[in-house]
Amino acid sequence: MPIYEYRCDGCNQKSDLLWRNFSPPDAIECKSCGTDETHRIISSVALRKTVKTQMSELDSKYDRMLDAADASNPRADPNYYLNKATPLSEGVPD
């Protein structure tokens, strides 16, 4: 069911109409001023991108910024917590 948008020629306000048919009316009554002097306009369209698409479209400068930030952070090293861990074999009584 398409939603059609109309702009009033008198008050310049937008009105929308949920229409259950594929042949919309030429004009509708304006919701603001009540006149029927309206014309159909092209509605804006929204596209939803997946997270994968958004990540692939990121500029490579952000990757370099993250790499630079991680270089100064010792916890960014994958072995940081491994080196701080105590092996399980230590401290176990014989």
Side-chain angles (χ1 to χ4, degrees), residues 70-90:
D70 281 347
S72 62
N73 184 1
R75 293 184 179 194
D77 179 18
N79 293 322
Y80 175 78
Y81 292 104
L82 184 63
N83 294 335
K84 294 180 89 46
T86 305
L88 293 175
S89 60
E90 290 181 15

Side-chain angles (χ1 to χ4, degrees), residues 5-15 25-41:
E5 286 188 325
Y6 293 82
R7 183 169 304 279
C8 179
D9 294 332
C11 65
N12 206 27
Q13 294 294 318
K14 280 198 268 183
S15 299
D26 293 330
I28 63 169
E29 184 177 314
C30 176
K31 293 179 181 176
S32 296
C33 65
T35 184
D36 61 349
E37 296 177 10
T38 58
H39 61 277
R40 199 169 125 205
I41 59 174

